[in-house]
Amino acid sequence: QVQLVESGGGLVQAGGSLRLSCAASRTIFGINTMGWYRQAPGKQRELVASITSGSTNYADSVKGRFTISKDNAKNTMYLQMNSLKPEDTAVYYCNVGSNWADYWGQGTQVTVSS
């Protein structure tokens, strides 16, 4: 059984930066895709960034501002968020899809003040 734990969320002013981390309790084998989702109050969960087949993908709303990366040795992936805007305010969730199971983190709150 694998658990994903997010950290790094918090309150930041518009234009600032945050780095979110997602640490797996153990190595996950057979990963097909991994990514970050977010959900704002009253809105549907949306895919923010992902890594699939070795390629990175970003939602248009964050392209050029956010960067997804991973460190296999640490069983951790990251979301570097720069030039944050109030509309980035949401709960952010990490996700890993493997050949055998789909894993989700508990979510971490990001609040951007104007």
Side-chain angles (χ1 to χ4, degrees):
Q1 184 68 37
V2 177
Q3 289 187 320
L4 303 181
V5 179
E6 295 110 335
S7 62
L11 176 64
V12 65
Q13 292 183 328
S17 298
L18 286 173
R19 188 178 76 160
L20 305 183
S21 298
C22 175
S25 59
R26 64 167 177 82
T27 300
I28 300 172
F29 295 96
I31 293 174
N32 294 316
T33 185
M34 60 183 70
W36 290 90
Y37 292 75
R38 68 185 182 188
Q39 187 167 24
K43 296 183 178 180
Q44 294 189 101
R45 186 172 298 187
E46 64 172 338
L47 179 63
V48 175
S50 65
I51 303 174
T52 303
S53 299
S55 298
T56 58
N57 305 96
Y58 298 93
D60 288 342
S61 59
V62 308
K63 197 169 298 182
R65 300 188 297 119
F66 290 11
T67 303
I68 186 171
S69 62
K70 61 186 177 69
D71 186 336
N72 292 335
K74 296 181 178 179
N75 292 330
T76 303
M77 71 172 172
Y78 307 93
L79 185 67
Q80 179 66 47
M81 305 185 293
N82 298 325
S83 302
L84 283 162
K85 304 174 180 179
E87 52 262 43
D88 295 319
T89 295
V91 177
Y92 285 71
Y93 300 88
C94 62
N95 169 261
V96 177
S98 75
N99 291 328
W100 311 108
D102 190 56
Y103 305 97
W104 288 90
Q106 83 285 355
T108 185
Q109 176 71 48
V110 172
T111 302
V112 184
S113 61
S114 57

